[in-house]
């Protein structure tokens, strides 16, 4: 399977582009919700351009006995903040839309608190069949880039960032 | 006032160095607590090297009426997780130790849940008089780099990341 390596600078530019599209689309979020831990870095960069606070949620795919599961489980949620979600415009951020299961789960959980709107933004959407589906309430979905169903290597996962940057120069071309 | 600009690659290498020092110091955290939003990016990189889950906390210096205050206020905490903090070894992560007030506040809040230990790690410690003080229970404090009391520009705050990287090449020398 092909590997796509993105540099931090790639990620920064993609996050800035997402913020621009959020604004140009007329969406003014009240807050950003980052899905941890992959959404932390894109959310933090998007915050620079949108200037809104970030709340974090943690989702895991293992059960209480550390066994892998197919269904997401909350490891962190935003209780104090939940009562403030009602009527708010939320921008939900993650790094990648792969199976869409995590995004669907998080959107459904957020919608229970009757926000004014939940918009979704990801750095990368993998062009593939999705197991999850976004509820119809989600009318804004922004993927920084859409890429083939390949193995993505993010810079924050690099053991050696200089080697990662060198290898990223040889990425397969994204049409 | 002098400005220090750090590139993402600088940050990545500093975070890796912090993780190495955590391990070499014999500390094996059960979880990382990131202070949002500045701690999100360093915590996520440190996670690559330590392999532990991240919980996020949000601290703000404004009151319910959006007026600035001198004292930190929780905007997000880790309720579901709190009952699991007891007996745990926690690595608390932020980007910078400036006045030390936020770190002190977060450490004190975490200690109320009787963890086994709270260690503190920051990318940068500013060499200056501190308004806050870490409780004596904190025996491990790791600053990736100690720098003069200058204005730090982090890459995630850059409007233009390419210009930021160019300007970072002209940083004042850190002894």
């Amino acid at each position: 399977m092909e590997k796509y390596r993105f540099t931090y600078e790639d990620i920064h530019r993609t996050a800035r582009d997402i913020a621009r599209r959020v604004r140009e689309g007329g969406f003014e979020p009240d807050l950003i919700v980052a899905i941890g831990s992959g959404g932390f870095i894109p959310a933090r960069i998007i915050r620079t351009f949108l200037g809104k606070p970030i709340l974090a949620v943690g989702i895991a795919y293992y059960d209480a006995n550390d066994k892998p599961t197919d269904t997401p489980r909350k490891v962190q949620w935003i209780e104090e903040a939940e009562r403030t979600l009602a009527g708010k415009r939320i921008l939900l951020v993650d790094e990648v839309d792969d199976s869409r299961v995590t995004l669907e789960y998080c959107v459904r959980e957020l919608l229970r608190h009757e926000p004014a709107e939940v918009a979704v933004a990801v750095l990368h959407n993998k062009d593939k069949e999705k197991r999850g589906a976004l509820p119809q309430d989600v009318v804004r979905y922004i993927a920084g880039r859409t890429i083939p169903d390949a193995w993505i290597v993010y810079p924050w996962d690099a053991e050696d960032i200089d080697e990662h940057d060198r290898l990223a120069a040889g990425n397969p071309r994204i049409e």
Side-chain angles (χ1 to χ4, degrees), chain A:
Chain A
M1 197 180 225
E2 287 193 312
K3 277 189 187 176
Y4 288 88
R5 291 182 178 82
F6 295 103
T7 66
Y8 282 113
E9 284 72 15
D10 292 331
I11 300 298
H12 193 94
R13 283 186 287 260
T14 300
R16 182 171 72 166
D17 187 52
I18 288 170
R20 181 186 57 75
R21 289 162 61 192
V22 166
R23 273 199 315 269
E24 289 183 1
F27 185 60
E28 293 184 27
D30 300 299
L31 60 94
I32 298 166
V33 172
I35 302 177
S37 63
F40 283 178
I41 292 181
R44 179 58 191 82
I45 304 172
I46 289 171
R47 168 173 161 71
T48 292
F49 298 99
L50 296 182
K52 299 299 175 183
I54 302 173
L55 296 175
V57 298
I59 306 294
Y61 286 86
Y62 49 82
D63 66 18
N65 303 315
D66 274 342
K67 302 280 182 232
T69 68
D70 266 352
T71 46
R73 186 174 71 83
K74 287 187 262 189
V75 293
Q76 174 165 35
W77 203 249
I78 39 183
E79 298 81 350
E80 306 93 335
E82 275 188 352
R83 49 184 175 274
T84 75
L85 294 183
K88 291 293 200 309
R89 294 178 298 267
I90 298 170
L91 181 66
L92 181 66
V93 174
D94 208 350
E95 91 277 48
V96 64
D97 177 357
D98 191 326
S99 71
R100 201 162 282 172
V101 170
T102 303
L103 287 172
E104 175 180 352
Y105 178 81
C106 287
V107 169
R108 290 194 186 283
E109 288 294 317
L110 290 172
L111 287 174
R112 290 169 52 189
H113 300 285
E114 306 193 343
E117 183 174 344
V118 178
V120 171
V122 294
L123 292 172
H124 302 114
N125 174 36
K126 291 189 183 180
D127 187 11
K128 62 188 283 189
E129 203 167 318
K130 306 292 190 183
R131 284 202 297 129
L134 296 180
Q136 288 196 324
D137 309 70
V138 177
V139 293
R140 296 172 207 262
Y141 169 89
I142 297 177
R145 298 175 75 174
T146 298
I147 63 168
D149 183 18
W151 183 356
I152 301 178
V153 188
Y154 285 105
W156 47 85
D157 284 322
E159 180 77 24
D160 180 331
I161 190 62
D162 299 295
E163 185 193 24
H164 175 89
D165 285 0
R166 273 194 304 275
L167 291 171
N171 265 345
R173 178 171 298 277
I174 300 174
E175 300 305 333

